[in-house]
Amino acid sequence: MPDRTLITETYGSVLLAPEVPCLIVQWHTFANRQQFRSFMDRSLELYIQEHRHTQPLGLLGDTRLVGAVTPDDQHWLRTDWNPRAYAAGIRHMGFVAPESVFGQISVQSYTNNTEAANAYTINIAHYNTLPEAKQWLHQALQEPAIG
């Protein structure tokens, strides 16, 4: 079953992968602060809508082409977006490894911030390909819920 595109912007897309099931936040290039935050918020809104009738549901970040994420946006993810994502039901998040060093630093910073959080627990894993990330998330979603 092919992934279904829900949002397309020049800097990214959100896809639904029903066989996992999950939403895939796929980055195409750098997004400025307004684009980044708006895209992440819209992705979370779509997750909440889909989660109403698809449970369990996971989230994957296809970050192969992601650019740098500023320290301010990293702080926003840790203190604003992540708590809302956890409240919406996100417990597992997989990433497809970024190609650029800036993307690698961004994803590793996000992972470190998320793992250090005390207010929520989101299980994160990193993979080299989208099929590997999908396979992990499909398995993880079958495990008993954490948190």
Side-chain angles (χ1 to χ4, degrees):
M1 180 179 300
D3 297 342
R4 186 168 52 113
T5 302
L6 305 176
I7 297 175
T8 301
E9 298 289 349
T10 57
Y11 46 85
S13 300
V14 178
L15 311 169
L16 174 65
E19 78 280 4
V20 176
C22 71
L23 291 187
I24 302 169
V25 178
Q26 186 176 64
W27 295 97
H28 304 306
T29 189
F30 173 79
N32 67 35
R33 171 174 291 142
Q34 180 181 357
Q35 293 167 332
F36 178 81
R37 291 184 185 194
S38 172
F39 193 66
M40 292 301 295
D41 281 340
R42 288 167 52 206
S43 299
L44 186 55
E45 289 169 16
L46 286 171
Y47 178 91
I48 291 166
Q49 290 172 12
E50 185 65 28
H51 192 251
R52 288 184 183 131
H53 52 85
T54 304
Q55 292 186 25
L57 182 67
L59 188 70
L60 289 178
D62 184 348
T63 58
R64 287 175 285 188
L65 302 178
V66 74
V69 177
T70 67
D72 283 348
D73 287 336
Q74 289 284 355
H75 177 77
W76 174 80
L77 285 168
R78 179 172 40 88
T79 61
D80 184 310
W81 193 87
N82 272 3
R84 291 186 289 126
Y86 182 81
I90 294 174
R91 300 295 183 268
H92 303 282
M93 193 178 302
F95 287 95
V96 182
E99 295 173 359
S100 77
V101 68
F102 298 109
Q104 291 167 11
I105 291 168
S106 296
V107 171
Q108 193 56 54
S109 293
Y110 174 81
T111 299
N112 293 344
N113 288 338
T114 301
E115 290 176 346
N118 293 322
Y120 51 83
T121 302
I122 299 174
N123 185 19
I124 295 179
H126 300 260
Y127 292 91
N128 291 322
T129 69
L130 186 56
E132 289 173 326
K134 284 180 171 182
Q135 182 179 19
W136 167 79
L137 186 55
H138 178 76
Q139 292 288 338
L141 291 172
Q142 306 312 309
E143 298 170 2
I146 57 174

